[in-house]
Amino acid sequence: MSSSAQVSDQAFRDDDPKGFSKPSPPSASLSYTKSSTSTAPTSVSISGDISSQLHGGYSHPLTRSWQAERQLTKSMLIYPLFISDDDEEETAIPSLPGQHRRGINKLVPHLEPLIRKGLRSVILFGVPLKPNTKDAVGSAADDPKGPVIQSIRLLKASFPQLYLVADVCMCEYTSHGHCGILRDDGSLNNNLSVDRISDVAMAYAEAGAHCVAPSDMNDGRVKAIKLKLIQAGIAHRVTLMSYAAKFSGCLYGPFRDAAGSVPSFGDRKCYQLPPGGRGLARRAIRRDIDEGADVIMVKPANAFLDIISDAKEIGKDLPIAAYQVSGEFAMIHAAANAGVFDMKTMAFESLEGILRAGANIIVTYWTPVMLDWLES
């Protein structure tokens, strides 16, 4: 019996209050016979409900790709680089699969093949390793001979087309591992921290960075940096990317292994956002837009897709960046190595979810392999 006959037969049963089946009239039998060859709709569930028919819109690989509001491209990706003050270093980071901490002499050979494959942007994190380099105010952060400023100058000369983002923070350079200058009681001195952070951002911008990205989460640092860029006459050529919604949590472990930025006491919960603080994140996003941010970033990414969506709603006229952090990256590796899923498939799904939420820039450790995967 055809599906339409089954539906009609059930309708006859339902019409009988006693539940007995009635014999089908001859005309009904004739219609069943016609339905097997007729082009007319034969299912009551479809008839008259054209909007329910979706499969044709994504039945082909190309039409499936058309369903995405944003297509993942190489230009969306920013590759994080850990640069140490040991010029010859090239050390693997065990907790961050496939990633290394490199000295300045190792950067150009590492990046040359990636740029040939389409790498467009990197974000620089300095890692001071020499003895007695760190102090209470992070003096080495803007040292002209330090790893970040040296790298900016080298990479700008070697790869003029490469977009250079300089992360601006203090935690790698302070003896206590916190993201600013502390009071005597160990709490963060916001005013002194903002002065220091904005000075460091200016040093990176004047060295040639295309973009400065304060990640410290001190109140008012975006405005301070923007005003100094304006006063220096370089605001027109330097992008200000704010880590506007940066949440505290346990997903930064591999990064801190790489950067040597673990706090020597306490934690960063008093200045990084609480994981449940959606309203607070929305307020921080609005504040940083009002203070002059050119790009808004959310960090972490996969665990905070709702915040990425909020950022796109609030900053609908701004680019939205998301940082898929070290713990998110490492989790995918660990699960794939345990046989939970295919690594490449999951990597794509994780990034496509970030795009779908509203980001159009992604900072990710997947960047080198994505350059190959997107090509194929």
Side-chain angles (χ1 to χ4, degrees):
M1 182 182 293
S2 69
S3 59
S4 59
Q6 290 174 347
V7 172
S8 298
D9 183 60
Q10 183 61 49
F12 281 119
R13 292 174 184 270
D14 292 343
D15 286 342
D16 184 6
K18 296 182 180 180
F20 292 104
S21 175
K22 297 179 180 179
S24 301
S27 59
S29 299
L30 179 61
S31 69
Y32 299 160
T33 304
K34 278 186 66 178
S35 71
S36 65
T37 57
S38 172
T39 58
T42 60
S43 170
V44 173
S45 65
I46 295 175
S47 179
D49 188 10
I50 301 302
S51 63
S52 70
Q53 299 306 291
L54 305 179
H55 292 172
Y58 57 95
S59 59
H60 186 279
L62 181 59
T63 58
R64 288 177 69 84
S65 71
W66 289 347
Q67 300 301 324
E69 293 183 11
R70 298 172 186 83
Q71 298 289 330
L72 185 63
T73 65
K74 296 177 183 180
S75 64
M76 293 176 171
L77 304 176
I78 300 178
Y79 178 30
L81 294 176
F82 299 101
I83 307 162
S84 82
D85 55 4
D86 177 352
D87 294 349
E88 302 298 330
E89 184 186 15
E90 191 163 32
T91 302
I93 304 162
S95 58
L96 201 53
Q99 309 302 306
H100 293 72
R101 189 170 54 236
R102 291 181 170 88
I104 193 167
N105 291 343
K106 302 294 184 178
L107 288 180
V108 170
H110 173 59
L111 291 176
E112 278 178 333
L114 299 179
I115 289 172
R116 286 196 296 269
K117 294 176 182 179
L119 178 67
R120 299 293 303 277
S121 181
V122 296
I123 183 168
L124 310 177
F125 297 93
V127 186
L129 298 175
K130 294 177 180 178
N132 304 316
T133 302
K134 300 185 180 188
D135 59 26
V137 296
S139 300
D142 51 357
D143 181 354
K145 296 182 180 180
V148 173
I149 290 180
Q150 283 200 84
S151 297
I152 292 170
R153 291 171 175 161
L154 171 67
L155 295 179
K156 195 155 190 180
S158 302
F159 309 113
Q161 73 277 28
L162 185 65
Y163 189 81
L164 304 177
V165 183
D167 178 85
V168 185
C169 198
M170 307 295 293
C171 57
E172 304 104 310
Y173 303 96
T174 54
S175 51
H176 45 71
H178 283 280
C179 302
I181 297 173
L182 303 182
R183 297 186 177 90
D184 291 340
D185 63 2
S187 62
L188 197 68
N189 188 318
N190 192 86
N191 291 342
L192 292 181
S193 298
V194 166
D195 286 343
R196 182 77 186 105
I197 286 288
S198 55
D199 283 346
V200 173
M202 285 302 302
Y204 295 164
E206 290 168 344
H210 299 101
C211 174
V212 291
S215 60
D216 55 292
M217 293 298 289
N218 285 286
D219 289 335
R221 88 275 197 212
V222 172
K223 182 178 181 180
I225 294 170
K226 194 73 168 187
L227 288 174
K228 289 185 179 182
L229 290 171
I230 292 169
Q231 290 166 1
I234 58 175
H236 65 287
R237 63 173 176 83
V238 179
T239 303
L240 178 47
M241 179 189 294
S242 170
Y243 287 70
K246 180 179 178 180
F247 291 84
S248 63
C250 62
L251 289 170
Y252 303 123
F255 176 95
R256 292 172 183 170
D257 291 343
S261 59
V262 179
S264 62
F265 68 91
D267 54 42
R268 296 172 180 151
K269 292 180 180 178
C270 63
Y271 45 96
Q272 293 181 357
L273 302 180
R278 184 176 185 178
L280 190 57
R282 291 173 65 92
R283 288 167 57 196
I285 291 166
R286 290 192 189 96
R287 177 198 62 192
D288 287 4
I289 292 173
D290 290 343
E291 290 186 4
D294 299 301
V295 180
I296 293 297
M297 185 191 291
V298 176
K299 177 182 180 182
N302 295 113
F304 293 92
L305 297 179
D306 58 328
I307 308 301
I308 297 173
S309 180
D310 286 347
K312 189 59 181 175
E313 172 206 331
I314 296 166
K316 57 182 179 295
D317 299 322
L318 276 69
I320 304 300
Y323 196 142
Q324 187 183 53
V325 300
S326 58
E328 294 174 310
F329 171 80
M331 283 195 297
I332 294 174
H333 262 272
N337 290 337
V340 175
F341 44 60
D342 176 73
M343 186 179 298
K344 178 180 177 181
T345 302
M346 190 63 232
F348 269 101
E349 290 183 10
S350 71
L351 298 183
E352 287 165 352
I354 295 168
L355 293 183
R356 188 181 65 250
N360 52 353
I361 303 166
I362 304 178
V363 183
T364 179
Y365 302 96
W366 291 111
T367 298
V369 293
M370 277 292 164
L371 297 175
D372 291 321
W373 290 344
L374 287 169
E375 193 66 31
S376 59

